[in-house]
């Protein structure tokens, strides 16, 4: 059992420069500065952390977040876009419609005890929150509820929609949510992510991606007595992988490509009649489709060589992010008003211990809000997020709020350790304040929204949205089912409710 004492957390409110802040915005910041509100959403973050549910299996997480919003008067639509854990929570009516994205899924194999600065799994091999989506779920809920309080108090017109988006770690839900038309009436979207910094950016970033499973079918046979009667599906997987690894040299340098073998037989004396490999193929929006087709050719070559059959299953296909500059500027202004949380010496010390253990400079927690980041001049690729598709449907920018340890490794025990407890509570609270303050600006300052919309409409002329997802692709609801069934009953003992 790991517990964090509320009394160890420095809950006093930050001070704001009054000249910059009009009453509606001040109210939203005051609401989120209340110690009982910081504690309420901190505890929600810790509860989600303990559930650590994998993509499309987030039944408890989506349940807790939607219930929290429903109790505050939001109307919940659950099970959208053919995904049981996808939901929208709506408050208010009419224009403008402000969207807030919300994520809550965990990652496999990363189980770790909270606030322990060295590798120490809670349940070895079980899932863990190695990207801070538990903090993000709580931050989005806190921000939306704070905005609702102020809309009610000042009779502000408009609608707030929280988009409960499952399975971001496998970048699955958003292209299906866009295809189902869930974003059609939304004027602007505020996205968020946990970070070791407080920052935002604009322009193009990250990679577009195809996520596909290649399954080969052959004929089983006794590998010793009659191997000539068999056709090995595992051989096909291996030949495909050899071919794609040769292909790397001839791809444009913006590419990234990785795979895991999902099935490769169960015993050496049976020729495997089924084998499968899961690929992530990443590149720019312009190059990803062609790269994907060349990878398919490698699979076809393996079919010819092994006399097997091939099935290609699309899990997702997504665009790069195209963040709106005017919206990022607005987020930046509000982040600067909110400021960096005040960390305790214990929180700095914990950060330094983690930094020592992952062999980076021991700087402690961050002290300043970063300046607005321009798009990089040279393509740096990196990860992918299904937020990309949303950015082409409505003006969107991502606010990254602090709480994680500078220099720690994403998708690693060091991040799981830090996404639980006091610094995570403070970081998500700072994020919620900046999101809520920005939403209040968008609801009450029509000229801000107009500027953002004009920039988006201009950009959309040259970048019309076209989904990379094949028409017959469906959300892979079975993807993490077995894994979650394997771990859930052990994890239940450690749930924090
Ligand atoms: Zn993430």
């Amino acid at each position: 059992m790991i517990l964090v004492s509320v009394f160890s957390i420095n809950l006093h409110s930050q001070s704001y420069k009054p000249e910059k802040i009009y009453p509606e915005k001040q109210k939203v910041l005051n609401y989120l500065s209340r110690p009982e509100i910081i504690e309420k959403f901190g505890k929600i973050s810790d509860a989600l952390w303990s559930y650590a549910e994998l993509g499309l299996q987030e039944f408890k997480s989506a349940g807790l977040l939607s219930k929290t919003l429903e109790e505050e008067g939001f109307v919940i639509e659950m099970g959208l876009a053919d995904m049981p854990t996808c939901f929208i929570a709506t408050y208010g009516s009419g224009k403008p419609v402000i969207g807030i994205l919300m994520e809550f899924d965990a990652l496999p194999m990363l189980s770790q005890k909270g606030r322990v600065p060295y590798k120490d799994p809670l349940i070895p091999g079980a899932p863990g929150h190695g990207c801070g989506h538990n903090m993000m779920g709580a931050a989005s809920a806190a921000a939306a509820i704070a905005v609702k309080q102020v809309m009610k108090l000042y009779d502000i017109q408009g609608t707030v929609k929280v988009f409960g988006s499952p399975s971001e770690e496998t970048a699955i839900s958003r292209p299906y949510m866009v295809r189902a038309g869930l974003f059609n009436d939304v004027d602007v979207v505020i996205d968020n992510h946990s970070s070791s910094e407080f920052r935002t950016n604009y322009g193009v970033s990250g990679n577009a991606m195809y996520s596909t499973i290649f399954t080969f079918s052959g004929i089983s046979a006794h590998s010793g007595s009659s191997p000539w009667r068999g056709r090995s599906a595992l051989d096909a997987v291996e030949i495909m992988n050899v071919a794609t690894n040769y292909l790397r040299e001839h791809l444009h340098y913006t590419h990234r490509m990785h795979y895991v073998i999902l099935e490769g037989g169960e015993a050496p004396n049976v020729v495997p009649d089924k084998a499968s490999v899961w690929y992530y193929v990443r590149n720019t929006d312009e190059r990803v489709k062609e790269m994907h087709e060349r990878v398919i050719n490698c699979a076809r070559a393996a079919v010819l060589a092994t006399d097997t059959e091939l099935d290609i299953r699309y899990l997702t296909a997504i665009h790069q992010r195209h963040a709106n500059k005017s919206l990022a500027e607005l987020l930046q202004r509000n982040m600067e008003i909110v400021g960096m949380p005040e960390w305790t010496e214990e929180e700095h010390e914990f950060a330094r211990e983690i930094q020592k253990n992952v062999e980076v400079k021991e700087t402690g927690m961050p002290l300043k809000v970063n300046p607005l980041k321009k798009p990089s001049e040279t393509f740096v690729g990196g990860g992918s997020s299904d937020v990309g598709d949303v950015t082409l449907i409505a003006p969107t920018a991502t606010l990254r709020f602090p709480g994680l340890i500078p220099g720690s490794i994403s998708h690693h025990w060091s991040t799981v350790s830090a996404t639980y407890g006091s610094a995570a509570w403070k970081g998500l609270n700072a994020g919620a304040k900046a999101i809520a303050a920005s939403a209040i600006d968008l609801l009450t300052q029509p000229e801000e929204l107009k500027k953002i919309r004009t920039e988006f409409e201009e950009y959309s002329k040259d970048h019309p949205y076209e989904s990379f997802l094949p028409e017959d692709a469906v959300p892979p609801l079975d993807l993490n089912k077995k894994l979650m069934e394997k771990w859930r009953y052990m994890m239940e003992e450690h749930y924090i409710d």
Side-chain angles (χ1 to χ4, degrees):
M1 189 76 181
I2 359 143
L3 285 172
V4 60
S5 161
V6 180
F7 305 104
S8 70
I9 298 171
N10 179 3
L11 294 175
H12 70 261
S13 5
Q14 290 134 302
S15 51
Y16 306 105
K17 290 178 204 135
E19 70 276 10
K20 286 186 180 169
I21 303 175
Y22 53 95
E24 292 90 333
K25 194 186 279 192
Q26 188 63 59
K27 266 277 185 298
V28 96
L29 295 172
N30 291 351
Y31 175 83
L32 287 165
S33 298
R34 284 157 56 178
E36 70 273 21
I37 297 299
I38 300 175
E39 187 184 333
K40 175 180 172 174
F41 291 98
K43 283 185 168 169
I44 288 173
S45 170
D46 286 353
L48 298 172
W49 182 90
S50 74
Y51 304 157
E53 294 175 300
L54 298 171
L56 296 164
Q57 304 298 315
E58 314 97 329
F59 298 102
K60 276 190 75 74
S61 308
L64 173 61
L65 290 164
S66 60
K67 188 176 124 257
T68 304
L69 288 155
E70 194 170 29
E71 281 168 1
E72 290 285 341
F74 284 75
V75 175
I76 309 295
E77 297 163 90
M78 184 64 83
L80 301 175
D82 299 321
M83 291 172 279
T85 52
C86 175
F87 69 91
I88 295 180
T90 306
Y91 179 81
S93 61
K95 288 274 183 184
V97 181
I98 315 296
I100 298 175
L101 296 183
M102 172 189 268
E103 297 167 12
F104 34 74
D105 62 324
L107 287 154
M109 305 187 293
L110 294 181
S111 175
Q112 163 72 20
K113 288 178 186 158
R115 306 298 286 175
V116 171
Y118 48 85
K119 187 176 180 179
D120 188 7
L122 193 58
I123 302 165
H129 268 290
C131 206
H133 293 192
N134 58 311
M135 296 159 69
M136 293 147 59
S140 300
I145 289 166
V147 171
K148 171 241 144 175
Q149 298 282 355
V150 172
M151 286 173 78
K152 208 171 156 189
L153 191 66
Y154 288 90
D155 198 20
I156 298 169
Q157 289 304 300
T159 307
V160 175
K161 282 193 173 195
V162 180
F163 290 88
S165 315
S167 207
E168 194 282 334
E169 295 295 4
T170 33
I172 283 170
S173 62
R174 256 67 73 114
Y176 296 101
M177 290 168 77
V178 169
R179 190 170 75 180
L182 304 188
F183 293 95
N184 285 0
D185 65 344
V186 178
D187 293 303
V188 58
V189 175
I190 304 174
D191 176 43
N192 69 87
H193 205 290
S194 64
S195 172
S196 58
E197 298 170 328
F198 208 0
R199 67 176 166 93
T200 187
N201 66 297
Y202 63 90
V204 180
S205 66
N207 269 313
M209 181 178 85
Y210 276 86
S211 167
T212 41
I213 297 177
F214 296 85
T215 301
F216 297 91
S217 305
I219 299 168
S220 68
H222 193 304
S223 324
S225 65
S226 53
W228 51 87
R229 301 187 69 177
R231 297 289 181 271
S232 171
L234 176 61
D235 289 355
V237 164
E238 294 197 76
I239 290 169
M240 177 185 175
N241 293 347
V242 168
T244 58
N245 285 321
Y246 274 102
L247 176 65
R248 285 181 200 274
E249 187 186 351
H250 306 289
L251 292 169
H252 195 274
Y253 60 79
T254 52
H255 91 275
R256 282 193 194 173
M257 174 162 66
H258 15 262
Y259 56 82
V260 290
I261 296 176
L262 295 175
E263 302 161 289
E266 290 177 0
N269 62 343
V270 181
V271 172
D273 64 351
K274 200 174 168 219
S276 57
V277 58
W278 180 10
Y279 266 79
Y280 277 10
V281 166
R282 309 194 205 229
N283 215 320
T284 61
D285 276 4
E286 293 73 26
R287 298 195 183 101
V288 73
K289 215 169 175 175
E290 189 208 332
M291 176 177 164
H292 170 60
E293 276 155 20
R294 294 183 76 181
V295 168
I296 290 178
N297 280 340
C298 295
R300 289 197 183 117
V303 164
L304 261 185
T306 55
D307 196 14
T308 53
E309 284 173 11
L310 170 66
D311 172 72
I312 303 172
R313 182 183 183 193
Y314 288 84
L315 305 185
T316 193
I318 56 166
H319 284 265
Q320 289 178 281
R321 288 169 191 255
H322 304 249
N324 184 282
K325 187 178 180 214
S326 308
L327 177 58
E329 286 167 349
L330 183 120
L331 297 180
Q332 180 75 26
R333 289 199 294 278
N334 285 304
M335 283 159 43
E336 281 167 14
I337 290 172
V338 172
M340 195 58 93
E342 289 173 31
W343 315 108
T344 61
E345 188 42 43
E346 184 269 328
E347 286 157 354
H348 282 299
E349 188 47 40
F350 173 74
R352 284 193 288 266
E353 271 192 72
I354 289 246
Q355 286 160 342
K356 193 172 122 197
N357 291 338
V358 299
E359 297 175 353
V360 293
K361 217 168 161 198
E362 292 163 46
T363 54
M365 294 299 281
L367 300 174
K368 279 194 192 133
V369 176
N370 290 28
L372 180 62
K373 193 169 174 260
K374 294 179 190 151
S376 50
E377 277 167 28
T378 47
F379 180 81
V380 290
S384 313
S385 170
D386 57 353
V387 173
D389 284 48
V390 181
T391 65
L392 291 170
I393 282 289
T396 306
T398 302
L399 180 148
R400 291 176 195 275
F401 62 80
L404 308 185
I405 313 295
S408 67
I409 307 166
S410 188
H411 298 196
H412 181 259
W413 65 262
S414 57
T415 297
V416 187
S417 177
T419 51
Y420 173 82
S422 62
W425 289 25
K426 288 182 189 175
L428 79 88
N429 181 258
K433 282 176 179 159
I435 297 166
S438 303
I440 292 292
D441 280 344
L442 294 164
L443 285 163
T444 61
Q445 321 278 308
E447 68 285 359
E448 291 288 353
L449 183 57
K450 198 172 169 227
K451 202 168 129 199
I452 291 164
R453 291 287 322 173
T454 306
E455 179 192 324
F456 175 74
E457 273 144 30
E458 203 52 45
Y459 189 80
S460 300
K461 281 181 198 159
D462 301 328
H463 301 81
Y465 176 72
E466 196 193 324
S467 181
F468 287 138
L469 206 60
E471 270 174 33
D472 56 354
V474 291
L477 301 184
D478 58 321
L479 183 65
N480 290 311
K481 205 161 179 263
K482 275 195 191 142
L483 262 186
M484 214 56 231
E485 276 166 8
K486 179 177 170 189
W487 298 111
R488 193 186 285 280
Y489 79 97
M490 282 185 254
M491 295 167 73
E492 275 169 358
E493 287 174 35
H494 301 274
Y495 281 174
I496 300 164
D497 284 308

